[in-house]
Amino acid sequence: MPRVSIKDIARSADVSHSTVSRALSDSPLVSAETKERIQRLARQMGYSPDAQARSLVMGRTLTVGVVVTTIIDPFVAELVQGIERYARDGNYSVILASSDAEPDREIAAVEMLNSKRVDGVIVTSSRVGALYQEHLDRLHVPVVLVNSRRAQAGRYTFSINVDNRDGGVQAVRHLLDLGHRRIAYITGPADHSDDLERLAGYRHALEEADSAFDPSLVVPGDGRAAGGEAALPAIMGREDPITAAFCYNDMTALGLMHAALRAGYTVPGDLAIVGFDDIILASHVHPRLTTIAQPVRRMGRRAMKMVLKLMDNDDPNGSNVTDVVLKGELVVRGSTVFS
Amino acid sequence: MPRVSIKDIARSADVSHSTVSRALSDSPLVSAETKERIQRLARQMGYSPDAQARSLVMGRTLTVGVVVTTIIDPFVAELVQGIERYARDGNYSVILASSDAEPDREIAAVEMLNSKRVDGVIVTSSRVGALYQEHLDRLHVPVVLVNSRRAQAGRYTFSINVDNRDGGVQAVRHLLDLGHRRIAYITGPADHSDDLERLAGYRHALEEADSAFDPSLVVPGDGRAAGGEAALPAIMGREDPITAAFCYNDMTALGLMHAALRAGYTVPGDLAIVGFDDIILASHVHPRLTTIAQPVRRMGRRAMKMVLKLMDNDDPNGSNVTDVVLKGELVVRGSTVFS
DNA sequence: TTGTAGGCGTTATCAC
DNA sequence: GTGATAACGCCTACAA
């Protein structure tokens, strides 16, 4: 049983292949009788339309490309889930490409997506350099950047970001409300603008509370658990005790918390900890982690929605589409208050 | 600057489009001189081959479909990463479809992949019923089932599984070696064959050690953290103390551990815990979780490799391809031994 | 070494 | 209502 095409059906039904095409797309230009006859026949013969051939003539593939650093990252996974669900509802499918954060692979991925003629692209957690931007522009399809940074503006390129600064403010205000005064910030990877923005929020909240900003309370991390663990000595081994720490992200916070517990400190008794992201781990550790939740599923949906909108009004300049900044939400758990 | 096709290049180079096609595929049937001239021109004009058109005539899309329950699941995410990496190396791309474990969606996903004419399909963590199997067979492409169960054999369908029974044996032997004698098993979702196999391993290891199997030590769970939490009373509220628990999976184990710690018990002092899977969370909780690691990345690679192999020797019966069972590995951490 | 012609499976534009 | 015919972008006999 080889593949069956509309021509095969046409032969069996003794009509032309155009009639079959019309019947299957439920066109009004064909009699109800033959329409049903053909549709029944198609089902019997196990016909499945060839999307390739269709999109070749239609100029649309009903496919979007998603470029991620790594799907292992829980944040990315949840984002992709949001995208995929919304895409599926709109009859789109998703081609997944991961770059492992290597620029070469990222560009290769975009080239692949170009060849596959995707109708839109979503890129996450990337730093989009000038070269990369050039490749994205060559796609001639809408590109939405999620939590990414770009060196220069692109024609078709829009972005969705979480409000990092506001998140930092919320986190630190929460700690201040709890009475903490000596609050550390553990940074993310160097040179990362997300990190700088969260730090700015931290600083703003402190100054807002007439608490002077003390540079020595900013401890370097690396965005991973190891960085958080390594930060412990710099935090607990001081004369003037630090009682709380706001961390660049949840992984950092988890590393710090783990190290603190192992060293015999209590959380939040000796040290209150706030993270950022609200990855799934955050609610499965003990104590559960207080954090700033990124509205990640909303971001995924929103990204897909934006792509669809940009495609529809095929105004290349994407009128009435603007960059989006979504606020995170403070989620209070056991790492800052006793439960 | 609209899309440029080989015809456009042909016009610019003043040759026929067939010559361009040959030049770009580096055919020996074209002079080195014109070949280079055309290739340069193609680059200048920003040509990108149309994969759709190509695969329409070639009969191959260089695309595989991956059907998952949800990409949020860390196990699934890691599997997909393994698949994607190996696929990329073989110049394949991946279409991702998630089913949310709903049979209807799963079948819809397969139908979509059929329309997209993928060259192979990988399905994970699914129960493949008879209806579903029928749809898979209709694909006429190799299908590899990872950690899935099927009601009936399919023509093109092969499988990769972890050795659940052996994993159960390893886990319980480890606890026996540590001196535990009253060991509980917390089950997964009812009716799941993975669960039954792990239970069989548990039972075998006990009997091997002349320790009688006690049905009252088998406590129902649900495969999620909530199930583990709920199991605590049944475990700690007994006259004859239970000192260790082997859990269906890591999420169950984490739930149990969390509940135990909150109730004031120590781990592993009062209760030693072993999970199954080795999801990322397992090494980020405190104490870290001892578990049976599924060789998940290897499973991903292996699945993709199998698909490629099945496609190459297009013997429909897949001679010299057999189902694969991979052994898990005991990873000893702080939830069973003091570190 | 190169050009011409046909076809992959669709949809769309004409006639009839 | 229905049937030829062309087109989408590419590859590949066959001819020159």
Side-chain angles (χ1 to χ4, degrees):
Chain A
M1 267 197 304
R3 276 257 135 75
V4 31
S5 76
I6 52 172
K7 285 183 187 168
D8 300 317
I9 300 177
R11 216 168 299 129
S12 291
D14 206 42
V15 293
S16 76
H17 74 275
S18 351
T19 301
V20 175
S21 174
R22 281 190 277 257
L24 293 178
S25 60
D26 205 36
S27 157
L29 296 160
V30 59
S31 80
E33 183 199 12
T34 52
K35 187 184 292 187
E36 191 173 344
R37 187 166 59 94
I38 289 174
Q39 287 176 350
R40 187 160 3 103
L41 205 51
R43 222 171 307 123
Q44 280 172 10
M45 300 175 71
Y47 171 77
S48 159
D50 188 318
Q52 319 250 356
R54 176 179 286 167
S55 55
L56 190 58
V57 44
M58 301 289 268
R60 279 197 164 202
T61 55
L62 295 181
T63 300
V64 297
V66 177
V67 182
V68 304
T69 48
T70 167
I71 191 71
I72 301 275
D73 184 327
F75 175 85
V76 172
E78 206 154 339
L79 189 80
V80 169
Q81 162 159 300
I83 293 170
E84 202 269 345
R85 282 197 184 162
Y86 198 83
R88 175 215 293 154
D89 291 346
N91 251 302
Y92 271 75
S93 28
V94 168
I95 296 187
L96 182 72
S98 57
S99 67
D100 304 323
E102 289 178 35
D104 292 355
R105 289 199 192 288
E106 203 150 357
I107 287 176
V110 170
E111 191 38 53
M112 179 273 282
L113 294 173
N114 190 9
S115 258
K116 288 276 202 285
R117 297 293 189 261
V118 294
D119 295 333
V121 171
I122 298 173
V123 177
T124 183
S125 320
S126 175
R127 263 181 279 184
V128 177
L131 173 64
Y132 189 11
Q133 180 67 254
E134 201 177 301
H135 281 263
L136 287 176
D137 283 344
R138 222 201 294 289
L139 284 174
H140 295 296
V141 301
V143 175
V144 173
L145 269 31
V146 180
N147 279 5
S148 300
R149 300 295 151 185
R150 58 185 156 195
Q152 71 191 72
R155 281 188 55 111
Y156 301 84
T157 316
F158 292 85
S159 73
I160 296 182
N161 286 282
V162 71
D163 192 332
N164 287 302
R165 188 172 183 283
D166 176 77
V169 170
Q170 286 190 62
V172 175
R173 273 192 195 148
H174 169 61
L175 292 170
L176 288 166
D177 286 349
L178 291 172
H180 295 282
R181 284 301 170 267
R182 306 278 305 161
I183 302 172
Y185 175 67
I186 314 209
T187 76
D191 256 12
H192 214 298
S193 66
D194 286 348
D195 182 61
L196 297 177
E197 291 170 17
R198 290 172 197 181
L199 175 58
Y202 160 88
R203 194 166 170 167
H204 176 78
L206 286 179
E207 288 166 352
E208 190 185 57
D210 290 324
S211 188
F213 171 69
D214 176 354
S216 79
L217 294 184
V218 176
V219 178
D222 60 5
R224 296 174 301 135
E229 293 188 33
L232 185 70
I235 290 190
M236 300 311 273
R238 307 170 52 112
E239 297 189 352
D240 48 344
I242 287 179
T243 63
F246 167 46
C247 300
Y248 166 69
N249 65 4
D250 285 350
M251 287 312 293
T252 304
L254 293 177
L256 174 63
M257 187 160 81
H258 194 265
L261 292 173
R262 203 173 32 195
Y265 297 106
T266 63
V267 176
D270 297 323
L271 183 67
I273 299 177
V274 180
F276 203 112
D277 283 350
D278 196 22
I279 60 180
I280 307 188
L281 275 86
S283 50
H284 286 293
V285 291
H286 180 80
R288 304 188 200 274
L289 185 66
T290 294
T291 188
I292 304 296
Q294 294 211 40
V296 49
R297 216 169 298 175
R298 223 166 77 224
M299 294 174 90
R301 288 178 52 89
R302 193 67 178 265
M304 190 61 218
K305 201 170 172 179
M306 206 180 225
V307 165
L308 292 177
K309 189 168 182 182
L310 283 163
M311 282 171 11
D312 281 348
N313 66 344
D314 48 14
D315 169 3
N317 292 318
S319 61
N320 71 34
V321 172
T322 60
D323 288 354
V324 168
V325 177
L326 297 174
K327 289 215 191 300
E329 186 188 355
L330 174 69
V331 179
V332 178
R333 299 204 186 94
S335 71
T336 55
V337 301
F338 291 96
S339 55
Chain B
M1 267 198 304
R3 275 258 138 72
V4 30
S5 76
I6 54 172
K7 284 184 188 167
D8 300 318
I9 300 177
R11 217 169 297 127
S12 291
D14 207 42
V15 293
S16 77
H17 69 275
S18 7
T19 301
V20 175
S21 173
R22 283 190 274 257
L24 292 178
S25 59
D26 206 35
S27 156
L29 296 159
V30 60
S31 81
E33 183 197 14
T34 52
K35 186 185 292 187
E36 191 172 345
R37 186 165 61 95
I38 289 174
Q39 288 177 349
R40 189 161 0 105
L41 205 51
R43 221 171 306 124
Q44 280 172 10
M45 299 174 71
Y47 170 77
S48 159
D50 187 318
Q52 319 248 358
R54 176 178 286 167
S55 55
L56 191 57
V57 43
M58 301 293 267
R60 279 197 164 201
T61 54
L62 293 182
T63 300
V64 296
V66 177
V67 182
V68 304
T69 47
T70 167
I71 190 71
I72 301 276
D73 183 328
F75 175 84
V76 171
E78 205 154 339
L79 189 79
V80 170
Q81 162 159 299
I83 293 169
E84 202 268 346
R85 282 196 184 162
Y86 198 82
R88 176 215 292 153
D89 292 346
N91 251 302
Y92 271 75
S93 29
V94 167
I95 295 187
L96 183 73
S98 57
S99 67
D100 304 323
E102 292 178 34
D104 292 355
R105 289 199 191 287
E106 203 149 357
I107 287 176
V110 170
E111 191 37 53
M112 180 272 283
L113 294 173
N114 190 9
S115 259
K116 288 278 203 286
R117 296 292 190 263
V118 295
D119 295 334
V121 170
I122 297 173
V123 177
T124 182
S125 320
S126 175
R127 262 181 280 184
V128 177
L131 173 64
Y132 189 11
Q133 181 67 253
E134 199 178 301
H135 280 264
L136 287 176
D137 283 343
R138 223 201 294 289
L139 284 174
H140 294 297
V141 301
V143 175
V144 173
L145 268 31
V146 180
N147 279 4
S148 300
R149 300 294 151 186
R150 57 185 156 194
Q152 70 190 72
R155 279 188 56 110
Y156 300 84
T157 316
F158 292 85
S159 73
I160 297 182
N161 286 283
V162 71
D163 192 331
N164 287 302
R165 187 171 184 284
D166 177 77
V169 170
Q170 285 190 62
V172 175
R173 273 192 195 147
H174 169 61
L175 291 170
L176 288 166
D177 285 349
L178 291 173
H180 295 282
R181 286 300 170 267
R182 306 279 305 161
I183 303 172
Y185 175 65
I186 315 213
T187 76
D191 256 11
H192 213 298
S193 66
D194 287 348
D195 182 60
L196 297 177
E197 291 170 17
R198 290 172 198 181
L199 175 59
Y202 160 87
R203 194 166 171 167
H204 176 78
L206 286 180
E207 288 167 352
E208 188 185 59
D210 292 324
S211 189
F213 171 68
D214 176 354
S216 78
L217 294 185
V218 176
V219 179
D222 61 4
R224 297 175 301 135
E229 293 188 33
L232 185 70
I235 290 192
M236 300 312 273
R238 307 170 54 109
E239 297 189 352
D240 47 343
I242 287 180
T243 62
F246 166 46
C247 300
Y248 166 69
N249 65 4
D250 286 350
M251 288 311 294
T252 302
L254 293 177
L256 173 63
M257 186 160 81
H258 194 265
L261 292 173
R262 204 174 31 196
Y265 297 106
T266 63
V267 175
D270 298 322
L271 184 67
I273 299 177
V274 181
F276 203 113
D277 283 352
D278 196 23
I279 61 180
I280 307 189
L281 275 87
S283 51
H284 286 293
V285 291
H286 181 81
R288 304 189 200 274
L289 185 67
T290 293
T291 189
I292 303 296
Q294 294 212 40
V296 48
R297 217 169 297 174
R298 222 165 77 224
M299 294 174 90
R301 289 177 52 88
R302 194 68 179 264
M304 189 61 217
K305 203 170 171 179
M306 207 179 222
V307 166
L308 292 177
K309 189 168 183 183
L310 283 163
M311 281 171 9
D312 281 350
N313 67 342
D314 48 14
D315 169 2
N317 292 319
S319 61
N320 70 35
V321 172
T322 60
D323 288 354
V324 169
V325 177
L326 297 174
K327 289 213 189 304
E329 186 188 356
L330 173 70
V331 180
V332 178
R333 299 205 186 93
S335 71
T336 54
V337 301
F338 291 96
S339 55

